[in-house]
Amino acid sequence: MTGKRTLAYDGGVGDVFKALADPTRRALLDELAARDGQTLFELCGRLMTRHGLSSSRQAISQHLDVLESAGLVHTRREGRYKFHDLDTTPLREITRRWPVPKE
Amino acid sequence: MRINVCSVLVDDQDKALRFYTQVLGFVKKTEVPVSDEYRWLTVVGPGEPDGVELLLEPDSHPAVRPFKEALVADGIPFTSFAVEDVQAEYDRLTALGVVFTQPPTEMGPVTTAVLDDTCGNLIQIAEMSA
């Protein structure tokens, strides 16, 4: 079992691919790239008004959980608020594995 | 039937009255004692003495605090006010030390921002885009 897993994916990169495979999650990353440190409320508003995605707040929250377990989003408690930040570091593994030629 | 009062649930009526009048700029309309502890305390918009009243209602019921905390954690404003210019209000209020969880942001036909009322609530201010 472990051998098979190593064959398929190296380390935690599998989670990144799964996280990126969903258009709603990609839209969440787009909006966090536009502005870091957003609440769930702001992200839901941006998805609805800028991407026409009217998923429920619960569904968005679950998408954020997937992004967080892939290391692409970090949540930060600041006082009584919870903010979401983008972290693109896990994407580096993709170009490390399949180098992109210089332009 | 008409709508004449809506409520915000506040943790301290005196503090709320200060914030909603001195900071946000509303005007006190009614203040009537209803117990040793609490008052029927309302404010109205400046220049709108007969407009809808906002009741600064104590949040002492045990179910209210967890409800408010859950909304605040997710950044959800339960109450929204209309403004002429969100950016101008944002600038004015941040200069007064008001904390925003969302700076002015275009959301389709409206521009909104979200602020902390210091009484346990997030408040949205909204401007219809031209």
Side-chain angles (χ1 to χ4, degrees):
Chain A
M1 194 189 90
T2 47
K4 212 172 177 183
R5 209 174 148 199
T6 312
L7 253 182
Y9 299 120
D10 191 14
V13 141
D15 290 335
V16 173
F17 295 136
K18 187 178 147 228
L20 293 173
D22 181 274
T24 301
R25 290 197 287 271
R26 291 197 296 272
L28 281 167
L29 296 179
D30 288 339
E31 291 309 317
L32 284 172
R35 193 177 88 78
D36 241 349
Q38 293 185 50
T39 63
L40 176 61
F41 174 79
E42 180 174 351
L43 284 167
C44 290
R46 283 169 174 257
L47 285 200
M48 194 176 64
T49 57
R50 299 180 181 195
H51 299 265
L53 296 166
S54 52
S55 314
S56 71
R57 195 172 278 140
Q58 266 167 314
I60 305 288
S61 183
Q62 282 164 6
H63 282 308
L64 284 166
D65 287 345
V66 174
L67 290 169
E68 189 172 10
S69 52
L72 290 163
V73 167
H74 299 296
T75 55
R76 144 173 74 88
R77 274 258 172 198
E78 209 175 289
R80 298 174 304 119
Y81 331 117
K82 191 168 117 183
F83 295 111
H84 301 81
D85 295 318
L86 176 67
D87 182 357
T88 53
T89 314
L91 300 179
R92 194 171 287 146
E93 171 63 13
I94 296 174
T95 49
R96 195 190 63 79
R97 247 176 100 174
W98 299 291
V100 179
K102 287 207 170 72
E103 281 180 41
Chain B
M1 203 176 291
R2 62 192 181 87
I3 297 169
N4 66 331
V5 174
C6 63
S7 304
V8 281
L9 292 154
V10 300
D11 59 5
D12 180 313
Q13 286 190 303
D14 287 318
K15 185 176 66 172
L17 183 61
R18 281 196 302 276
F19 184 84
Y20 280 82
T21 58
Q22 292 169 21
V23 180
L24 293 188
F26 296 136
V27 178
K28 184 170 86 174
K29 173 149 182 176
T30 315
E31 184 167 18
V32 181
V34 288
S35 71
D36 291 343
E37 245 180 305
Y38 302 125
R39 289 155 286 160
W40 179 267
L41 178 62
T42 72
V43 297
V44 287
E48 296 184 309
D50 300 319
V52 175
E53 293 172 59
L54 182 70
L55 177 65
L56 307 178
E57 187 167 356
D59 67 1
S60 50
H61 189 286
V64 175
R65 294 289 178 95
F67 165 74
K68 287 172 69 177
E69 280 163 17
L71 291 183
V72 170
D74 283 338
I76 301 169
F78 195 67
T79 303
S80 181
F81 300 130
V83 297
E84 290 287 313
D85 184 337
V86 168
Q87 184 65 48
E89 282 293 338
Y90 175 82
D91 295 341
R92 179 182 80 83
L93 293 169
T94 45
L96 291 171
V98 174
V99 172
F100 279 77
T101 59
Q102 181 205 301
T105 307
E106 258 189 62
M107 297 280 187
V110 287
T111 300
T112 64
V114 179
L115 63 93
D116 188 321
D117 78 346
T118 72
C119 302
N121 304 292
L122 295 177
I123 303 287
Q124 174 172 275
I125 53 174
E127 163 202 345
M128 291 301 292
S129 307

